[in-house]
Amino acid sequence: QLIETVLKPNHVKPPPPDAEFNYIADIYSKWYRHYFYFCAKYNCPGPNALAPSFETKFARLEYLVGDRFQLAFMRYTGEWVTLHTNITLDECLTAIQEDAWFHP
């Protein structure tokens, strides 16, 4: 629900007509092992692009116990940084929606 009603409308825009630079084409989520990720797919329209698109993960939820999670963002260095520990799922989703650290 968060992806379709908040993240996509705020971050996925139509590509500019003369697109040269990478732009967000889609936002989605996926499980991998015991983490739940929020991901962005970027299209690369430029003539020198190495690939037509690539994926970045911008938020990671790690299940702890009960209704408790850790929430981390991907730092520009490729390292996950945990900002919130032992919070509820609703608190995680609110942080992803409102906190600039979790924007794609």
Side-chain angles (χ1 to χ4, degrees):
Q1 196 71 330
L2 172 68
I3 291 174
E4 295 299 325
T5 61
V6 177
L7 295 178
K8 280 189 179 184
N10 288 338
H11 299 287
V12 178
K13 306 294 183 198
D18 56 348
E20 278 186 54
F21 302 104
N22 302 343
Y23 61 91
I24 298 175
D26 195 15
I27 294 179
Y28 52 94
S29 60
K30 66 181 180 180
W31 280 102
Y32 182 69
R33 298 189 180 170
H34 62 282
Y35 295 113
F36 185 77
Y37 294 98
F38 286 85
C39 309
K41 176 188 172 191
Y42 284 80
N43 283 345
C44 310
N48 299 322
L50 298 175
S53 65
F54 65 92
E55 173 190 275
T56 62
K57 297 174 179 82
F58 62 90
R60 180 181 79 179
L61 280 78
E62 180 180 7
Y63 176 71
L64 298 176
V65 65
D67 183 29
R68 297 296 173 174
F69 296 84
Q70 289 192 138
L71 180 60
F73 73 93
M74 175 62 78
R75 191 170 178 221
Y76 69 92
T77 60
E79 172 189 11
W80 286 103
V81 177
T82 301
L83 283 185
H84 302 286
T85 303
N86 200 27
I87 62 174
T88 66
L89 180 59
D90 287 339
E91 291 169 326
C92 288
L93 298 178
T94 299
I96 291 169
Q97 179 178 342
E98 297 175 357
D99 194 336
W101 288 109
F102 301 104
H103 290 180

